[in-house]
Amino acid sequence: MSEQPATAPKSLPLVFAEPRGRKKPPRHLADLTSDERKDLLVEMGLPGFRAKQLSTHYFGRLVHDPAEMTDLPAAQRAELVGALLPDLMDPIRQQSADKGKTVKTLWKLFDGSLVESVLMRYKDRATICISSQAGCGMACPFCATGQGGLTRNMSTAEIVHQVVVGARAMASGEVAGGPGRLSNVVFMGMGEPLANYKATLGAVRRLTEEAPSGLGLSARHVTVSTVGLVPRIRQLADEGIPVTLALSLHAPDDELRNDLVPINTRFSVAETVDAAHEYFSKTGRRVSIEYALMRDINDQAWRADLLADVLSAEGRGTGWVHINPIPLNDIPGSQFTRSREEDMDEFVRILNGRGIATTLRDTRGSEIDAACGQLAASE
Ligand code: SAH
């Protein structure tokens, strides 16, 4: 997949293509549709119905360790597992916070790449924040992941597996609060999901298809967060899966956004907001605007007003968005720091006053570096 547009500024590490000859992640049933799983087994001379049996274990019962699948025939076991349930990743470290209701896992992928996921249990829901790439090529200067550059795209199964393991942890009562159900998924871990479009879309399909095809989550409870790859936002709007779109805006003016979110030099604020609004028009899903509040950088009252202007321009009104200002998570050695409390309050007040639903996001897990932008997998 080579997607480097001719106009990419040279300074931006926007190489979405995988280097030639790199070993691919192992193929797993979560990479495939139900039919493809069956066809694969038949091609290998194995009974096709085993595909459904394995899928039911994986997506229906959330069993991912073949050792627990005691109904597999001994003679074909190794072949079936090798074909559809290879080991994708190993948890190498786990940290928890908020009395065990926030759990961060560091995963080692088959080639040694490291990614992280974070499960957050709330009163009425449980959300997992997952990674879509090892590292990230978007180079936002306030984001820990952005500093290390892109290692590689993750496969659909690697993306999905983080969720299946989280769903199992919830179901089995491993997460403080007793057995429960994983309800929400946010693509807000490491990586830019829309720069790994094919695998991300595959993952969204698997997450929202009914078991045993997939996990059976509601599309509206799946949020894809993006820096604003405009053509990809348009494409996503046409897929017919009403996932929630989150746009990481962080500044209402091109001058500042060019620095904070470097892809802005390719797609301006106006173009990006336009694409987000088109997403709302096509899907009916209200778009979330992410805005990390940085002291004396993007948190001025006038920028709150400008943000309201930009979002409601072109007669769009205010009902199509929801703004999520996020107190910046301080990253060691960074020139950016969190805004003062009074400035954050004023910022939120102005936007609500302009009729735009605005809620300051919590900073769950920040003490274990599990909050937004801190997933750097610095092992
Ligand atoms: N690449 C995607 C998704 C990953 S990050 C995107 O940019 O949307 C998820 C969110 O965390 C984004 O809104 C990102 O801008 C934000 N974020 C990154 N670093 C942060 C930090 N230090 N403090 C608060 N939010 C941060």
Side-chain angles (χ1 to χ4, degrees), residues 136 142-144 187-189 191-193 225-227 248 250 290 292 326-329 331 361 372-373:
C136 185
F142 59 90
C143 173
F187 283 76
M188 293 187 183
E192 166 51 44
S225 181
T226 179
V227 290
S248 298
H250 305 309
E290 310 288 298
I326 316 158
L328 186 80
N329 291 300
I331 291 167
R361 201 157 79 189
C372 306

Side-chain angles (χ1 to χ4, degrees), residues 23 100 106 112 124 144 157 166 205-206 233 285 293 308 311 333 350 356 371:
K23 260 187 96 190
L106 176 64
D124 56 337
R205 291 200 194 284
R206 285 303 101 68
I233 293 176
R285 301 290 303 139
L293 286 164
L311 294 176
I350 292 171
I356 307 185

Side-chain angles (χ1 to χ4, degrees), residues 256-291:
L256 178 57
R257 194 165 190 266
N258 283 346
D259 289 340
L260 296 181
V261 186
I263 194 75
N264 196 75
T265 56
R266 287 249 309 280
F267 307 110
S268 68
V269 168
E271 282 175 276
T272 306
V273 169
D274 227 39
H277 179 257
E278 201 179 302
Y279 188 87
F280 164 78
S281 303
K282 282 195 177 155
T283 62
R285 301 290 303 139
R286 198 145 78 140
V287 174
S288 294
I289 302 291
E290 310 288 298
Y291 199 105

